[in-house]
Amino acid sequence: MSDIRVLSVASEVYPIVKTGGLADVAGALPAALTAHGIATRTLLPGYPEVLKALPAASELLHWGDFFGGPVRLLAASPDGLDLFAIDAPHLFARPGNPYLGPDGRDWPDNGVRFAALSRMAAEIGFGIVPSFVPDIVHAHDWQAGLAPAFLHYDHRRRPGTVMTIHNMAYQGKFPYEMLASIGLPPESFNIHGVEYWGAVSYLKAGLQFSDRITAVSPTYAREIQSDEGGMGLGGLLRERSNVLSGILNGIDISVWNPESDSRIAYRYSEQDLPFRAANKAALQRQLGLDPAPDALLLGVISRLSWQKGLDILLHAVPAILGEDMQLALLGSGDAELQDRYQAAARAHAGRIAVVIGYDEDLAHLIQAGADALVVPSRFEPCGLTQLCALRYGAVPIVSRVGGLDDTVVDAGEGSAATGFKFGPVTPDHLATALRRASLAFHDKPVWRKLQQNGMTTDVSWRNRAGQYAALYRDIVASRRA
Ligand code: ADP
Ligand code: GLC
């Protein structure tokens, strides 16, 4: 029996629309919460992919003018995901990336688009959909950050609020002039409100006005309270540290399961690890790498951005070549990094393979076929690819930051070890970690143990969803008291 109702508010939800881990979390957490007595519905913008995925949606309401055009609120439950979608063509009928126009730049009206998402969340919070009046509105990242502020600056009875930080680097800052058009009162524009260095910050709004704040790992929850990690909001987070906690992400272990994964060449479990070799051979073949079973094959699946530290991995190319390793990288993003990786692949064909783009099938094959997965992030709120790697027996080699530090046990840390960690995040320290991994790789029992430890680590949402359930219950209880 579900006894608590949560409206989750997110700008992307897997498998319908995804640019990063936020979508994975928003897509998988609700099902895991059901087992803990929490009924979730997720509100998302009605981009074309969303409306296409909801052909049987029912219309709950329509208004003639919502932030400059008509709107319909739709409800549907595709594949067990209970969704509300905002059908507002003037804001969301734009194909492709949810945030960027065809020129690769932010849509100029993103401030209005995501204010609309938050406003609708607040209205649902106030009970506009009688069949689903939430006890909690749970906002994810800056795109939903105004929801707690709208709920705060209204005198109606409001539900409890949670703001989850997936990434402090994206804060949703818009000019002061926006304030009136998005419907926040003038008094909200002050240092204890939504004002941030003369502008409006949607993330700050969420952090300021939510009952509780979570970050997606305990270490990140600590890091963001420093001036550097807080990226300008560290002081506010220190002030609110009594309501801030870290809850680790999980992954959807039905999507990421090497025993049943139809996207890989050969399925396997920790009992029959030798079958992984067939996936490695398939990956080498597909990417044009030398068919070398004994070369340590490093995988990378990542957005190519400063956060991910992949410029640092480029400096380690001599170490990779010198130690007889191979590299298979799948990613897209920063144009200069794309070019540099493609040049490295051309210069070292057979040893380095680079695929620029977004390719879920290949992501699964890399997890199943690479010997190790490298995540050299400068900062990493949680990180999901290292969790998939653990489950697939690809030994993670990660920087000692954020959720990477919380989810990988270094080979030097005893019998429960699952991978290799390095820090500070410099080319030298990364190269040292790669050499340590190379030594271990050539000691079969040691490597097998790392893989088995990883594959038997619980990376699912089961227990982690329980921490969100406990948080929701706490908020509901304290608001009743
Ligand atoms: P972030 O959200 O910062 O990008 P995460 O590790 O939390 O990092 O999540 C990234 C998600 O996106 C993972 O599910 C990963 O498999 C996926 N991903 C990243 N890049 C690609 C790509 N080029 N092709 C396919 N999947 C990708
Ligand atoms: C962000 C972070 C990543 C995290 C993901 C899901 O995109 O960069 O570390 O795993 O959100 O919470």
Side-chain angles (χ1 to χ4, degrees), residues 97-452:
N97 184 293
Y99 318 115
L100 311 177
D103 56 358
R105 300 158 74 119
D106 287 348
W107 289 108
D109 59 347
N110 273 354
V112 178
R113 299 171 78 221
F114 295 104
L117 173 67
S118 293
R119 181 78 238 175
M120 187 61 86
E123 291 303 330
I124 297 171
F126 287 129
I128 204 160
V129 179
S131 58
F132 189 86
V133 181
D135 302 289
I136 301 282
V137 170
H138 185 165
H140 294 275
D141 269 357
W142 73 264
Q143 294 90 342
L146 287 187
F150 283 133
L151 287 160
H152 170 87
Y153 284 110
D154 197 301
H155 299 296
R156 287 173 279 175
R157 201 185 126 69
R158 71 165 178 88
T161 48
V162 178
M163 179 79 220
T164 290
I165 306 165
H166 296 264
N167 199 328
M168 290 297 299
Y170 304 98
Q171 302 189 353
K173 281 178 258 176
F174 300 98
Y176 161 74
E177 291 69 33
M178 290 264 323
L179 198 66
S181 65
I182 60 180
L184 277 173
E187 67 267 25
S188 66
F189 196 71
N190 73 75
I191 190 164
H192 302 296
V194 304
E195 187 268 345
Y196 183 78
W197 295 96
V200 179
S201 162
Y202 287 15
L203 180 61
K204 179 178 174 186
L207 300 178
Q208 196 74 270
F209 295 114
S210 50
D211 295 322
R212 298 293 181 89
I213 302 168
T214 68
V216 289
S217 68
T219 294
Y220 194 57
R222 279 193 303 278
E223 289 169 349
I224 56 179
Q225 294 181 55
S226 70
D227 288 337
E228 193 195 344
M231 298 183 164
L233 293 169
L236 162 56
L237 290 168
R238 286 196 291 279
E239 262 171 44
R240 302 216 68 205
S241 61
N242 58 327
V243 298
L244 165 62
S245 59
I247 300 178
L248 271 180
N249 288 333
I251 54 169
D252 185 335
I253 57 170
S254 62
V255 174
W256 294 100
N257 181 357
E259 291 180 55
S260 60
D261 192 335
S262 57
R263 296 167 142 142
I264 64 180
Y266 291 89
R267 297 192 261 283
Y268 61 97
S269 71
E270 80 268 14
Q271 317 293 347
D272 44 28
L273 264 175
F275 288 136
R276 266 191 115 255
N279 289 303
K280 179 171 177 177
L283 180 60
Q284 286 170 325
R285 211 169 32 247
Q286 182 170 328
L287 298 188
L289 290 165
D290 297 338
D294 294 329
L296 169 55
L297 173 49
L298 306 171
V300 173
I301 303 159
S302 186
R303 288 187 291 119
L304 301 181
S305 72
W306 184 83
Q307 171 188 348
K308 301 293 180 180
L310 290 164
D311 49 321
I312 292 165
L313 181 62
L314 272 172
H315 290 289
V317 164
I320 292 172
L321 299 172
E323 294 276 334
D324 193 29
M325 301 184 219
Q326 297 182 336
L327 173 66
L329 175 137
L330 166 64
S332 64
D334 183 88
E336 189 195 323
L337 266 179
Q338 293 185 170
D339 291 348
R340 288 171 68 194
Y341 269 102
Q342 283 176 317
R346 277 193 304 274
H348 308 289
R351 303 289 305 282
I352 296 181
V354 169
V355 177
I356 299 300
Y358 181 87
D359 183 339
E360 284 182 13
D361 290 347
L362 181 56
H364 282 245
L365 185 61
I366 291 176
Q367 294 287 10
D371 298 301
L373 189 91
V374 189
V375 193
S377 305
R378 290 188 167 87
F379 68 94
E380 196 59 72
C382 179
L384 299 177
T385 59
Q386 85 282 10
L387 301 181
C388 303
L390 289 168
R391 186 153 169 76
Y392 277 64
V395 173
I397 303 172
V398 303
S399 51
R400 206 179 271 281
V401 298
L404 299 172
D405 198 14
D406 291 338
T407 55
V408 176
V409 183
D410 185 80
E413 289 168 14
S415 60
T418 56
F420 297 87
K421 298 204 265 198
F422 68 94
V425 188
T426 63
D428 283 352
H429 287 90
L430 171 57
T432 304
L434 294 176
R435 286 196 196 94
R436 287 176 64 212
S438 171
L439 271 177
F441 178 68
H442 291 104
D443 186 338
K444 291 287 177 254
V446 167
W447 196 258
R448 179 73 45 91
K449 179 80 174 127
L450 289 171
Q451 289 179 298
Q452 276 166 343

